[in-house]
Every structure is written in structure tokens, then in C-alpha cells.
Amino acid sequence: PYFMNFAYVYTLCHKEGHTRLGLWRPQYKFLNNIFNWWIGLFYGVLPSSFAYGHSINHHKYNNGPHDVVTTSDKPRDNFRNFLCYLPRWFGYASNITTTIQFYNEGNLQIAMKMVTGSLYFVSFACLVSFLSPTFAFWFVLFPMGENVLLLACVNWCWHAFLSPDDPEDEYVGSITIFDGPINVLHEDYHVVHHQYPGAHWTKHPDLYKKHEKSGEYADHVATMFRNTHAFEMFFLIILREYDQMAEKFYDPKDKLSHDEKKELIKKRLRTCWWGPRANLNIKLQGKEIGNLMDGRPNVDSKKTD
């Protein structure tokens, strides 16, 4: 139950960060942003991290070189690489690297919003520390560490796979999980989330079916698994349990053998988009410098029909 409290709070902070209209009905409008600016404070979430750092930076660069939480510069089936990734996630979770990134891009307005969120959190932490240092440690500082560890694991899993033929392939680069025991508010439809970041969570299954019926998931041999969840996948990845991942891998066309699934999984886990380990010799189509979407709401009505 304690873990699921974290899961729901982080997910609601995530959903809240993707909507300008808020999560609440008009009569409860005063509760808008309550997860990122109040409840999340006790779960290690800094205000502005989801609303701006995640929604604008991560969803603009989609795990590419300028994404501050990118996983695509090192093989993901390596525990040491994950440990080296933790400082990168801490930089994001503490609003440091996103603030610097927005400033370097000349996006001073968003950079200042990041600073505002950071100052708000620091002021809150100082006030609580003054009132009760023990409470501050266990309910403000310690949850920050849990935030860094748990969400780094989740992001490492969600973006562990890359197509060696096209690292921009969204059907491969984000994971989709079916029949998972911890599918909180349909977060397991992560491809859908990157395609429609502002879509309400209840529409995710229908949006998946829309693209599934058109054959896009099958044509791209999308990264899909059954009967698992993000944390199990994280450990299967870093422990290199390729046989178990192959057993859970879902091939819509049912053409891949077990060994072919294993080789596909290995290639996707070890493909590096950029950095000293980059192993791609293809011409990209421009998304490596960001797309035009800022990750905030307003789903295209034509896409959701």
C-alpha cells in the first residue's frame, strides 16, 4: 500500500503537469495544481519539475541528446550504467539541469518558472526543518531520495529500447505493457502518452486501439510486453534476463521465434543514439534537435476520433 501511494501521487503529479485546465471539475477548481505544489512536496516532487521540466523538455526531445533525462547514450542492460544515470536523474528531479537547459536555449520565462518552483520547495523545506528537523528528514528529504531512485528506475525501463535502424521510432523507443498488475491510470501505454501527452488517461486504450488497428504497432514491431510491470522490467533489463523478456515480448504478427525476440531485445537495449558509445550510422530526420510539441495539453481532435 505504501508503494502504491507513491505510484498514484507521482502519476497524478505527472497527469497534472500535462494539463493547463487542471484535473478537477469547475466546482473544485481551487484544487488545481495541488499535487505538484502541495501533496507532492511530501513525496520528493519539486514544483515545476513535471509541469515544465518533464512536459516541455522531455516531450520535446523524446529521449534524444537534448533530453535532460535521456537514457539513449549508454546500453541499458548494464547495472553500472544505471548507477551512472542516477546523478542525471537527480539533476532533473532537483530542477537544476532543466533550469540550465531552458536558460541555454533562451527560454528565460520557463527557466524562471523552474527557479520559482525550486525556491518554493527550498522555502518549504527550511520552514519544516525549523519546526521539526526529524519530520523534515523523514517526510521531505528522504522522499526526495525515493523519488530519484524510483522514478529513475521507471524512466530507465520506459525508454530502455531503441531501434538500431531509427532511434526516433516512437513505437520502439517507448514501452507498452499489457495486463500488468501496476498499470496506474494507464501509464503502461507509454507510446500513446508520447503521441498524445495531453490526452486524458481514460482515452489511452482507445488511442492504442486506433493505431493498433491501422497496423502501426505491428509494422514497427513495437516494444510490447505482457503480464509484467515497469519495476519487474527494470530488473529483467539490468540483470540481462533476455529469456524472460523474450517470453513476455508481444509480437502481434506472431512471426518471431524465441531466439529472434532475444536478439531483437538485445539490439534495442544496446543501441546508443549519441555520446561516445553511439553505434548508429544512419541519417536522422530532425527530431534529435527537438520536435514542435511542448508536451502540454490540447489533443488534436482529429487524432482522437
Side-chain angles (χ1 to χ4, degrees):
Y2 182 63
F3 165 76
M4 291 307 296
N5 286 343
F6 270 84
Y8 272 96
V9 169
Y10 290 146
T11 299
L12 287 166
C13 286
H14 181 205
K15 301 298 186 187
E16 187 178 75
H18 276 292
T19 175
R20 293 190 181 97
L21 302 177
L23 298 176
W24 304 85
R25 293 180 179 179
Q27 60 267 39
Y28 303 113
K29 192 175 180 179
F30 66 95
L31 293 174
N32 283 344
N33 298 315
I34 192 172
F35 285 99
N36 281 283
W37 290 82
W38 177 242
I39 296 174
L41 300 178
F42 299 95
Y43 290 81
V45 176
L46 270 69
S48 300
S49 63
F50 277 109
Y52 303 107
H54 170 82
S55 296
I56 297 180
N57 177 269
H58 177 61
H59 278 271
K60 179 178 182 179
Y61 296 115
N62 289 307
N63 205 36
H66 298 294
D67 183 345
V68 299
V69 290
T70 179
T71 64
S72 62
D73 62 325
K74 50 180 68 70
R76 276 73 62 196
D77 57 346
N78 184 299
F79 181 59
R80 183 174 61 182
N81 287 345
F82 172 72
L83 292 179
C84 293
Y85 177 74
L86 288 175
R88 180 178 296 174
W89 188 269
F90 174 79
Y92 155 78
S94 58
N95 286 350
I96 295 171
T97 52
T98 40
T99 302
I100 294 172
Q101 179 81 348
F102 291 134
Y103 177 82
N104 289 338
E105 291 175 349
N107 197 343
L108 301 183
Q109 181 181 8
I110 299 301
M112 285 307 301
K113 289 184 177 181
M114 297 298 299
V115 171
T116 299
S118 300
L119 292 176
Y120 181 92
F121 182 84
V122 170
S123 299
F124 168 77
C126 289
L127 175 61
V128 174
S129 297
F130 175 77
L131 297 174
S132 173
T134 302
F135 183 91
F137 176 81
W138 288 111
F139 291 94
V140 180
L141 182 60
F142 186 77
M144 179 68 177
E146 290 183 306
N147 171 358
V148 171
L149 180 60
L150 294 177
L151 295 190
C153 291
V154 170
N155 198 63
W156 191 261
C157 166
W158 277 347
H159 295 290
F161 301 87
L162 284 176
S163 169
D165 301 312
D166 179 11
E168 299 171 354
D169 188 334
E170 60 191 356
Y171 293 96
V172 175
S174 292
I175 198 172
T176 300
I177 298 174
F178 304 105
D179 306 320
I182 313 179
N183 183 16
V184 179
L185 304 184
H186 292 316
E187 289 283 84
D188 284 350
Y189 291 99
H190 206 63
V191 173
V192 169
H193 174 61
H194 272 264
Q195 291 174 324
Y196 306 90
H200 194 272
W201 65 272
T202 57
K203 295 182 178 180
H204 285 193
D206 291 334
L207 291 169
Y208 161 75
K209 291 176 183 177
K210 172 187 172 181
H211 291 272
E212 187 269 337
K213 288 179 180 178
S214 68
E216 293 170 73
Y217 281 85
D219 291 343
H220 289 257
V221 193
T223 303
M224 299 186 288
F225 296 89
R226 287 192 178 280
N227 302 313
T228 185
H229 55 82
F231 287 100
E232 180 181 46
M233 282 301 303
F234 167 76
F235 283 105
L236 293 179
I237 289 167
I238 63 170
L239 296 176
R240 302 182 178 182
E241 295 287 350
Y242 306 117
D243 279 306
Q244 289 194 47
M245 285 189 279
E247 290 174 6
K248 295 176 181 293
F249 189 87
Y250 172 53
D251 173 19
K253 294 184 177 181
D254 199 24
K255 290 184 176 181
L256 298 175
S257 68
H258 181 83
D259 288 339
E260 287 173 331
K261 291 178 180 178
K262 280 178 59 178
E263 288 306 309
L264 182 67
I265 288 169
K266 286 181 183 179
K267 286 181 180 179
R268 290 181 174 183
L269 286 173
R270 296 173 181 177
T271 294
C272 296
W273 185 341
W274 63 282
R277 300 180 182 89
N279 49 17
L280 297 173
N281 294 309
I282 59 175
K283 183 177 180 180
L284 301 178
Q285 302 301 314
K287 288 185 182 177
E288 75 277 9
I289 58 173
N291 55 40
L292 297 178
M293 179 175 60
D294 68 356
R296 298 302 291 279
N298 299 339
V299 181
D300 185 342
S301 60
K302 293 181 181 179
K303 292 183 179 180
T304 58
D305 290 340

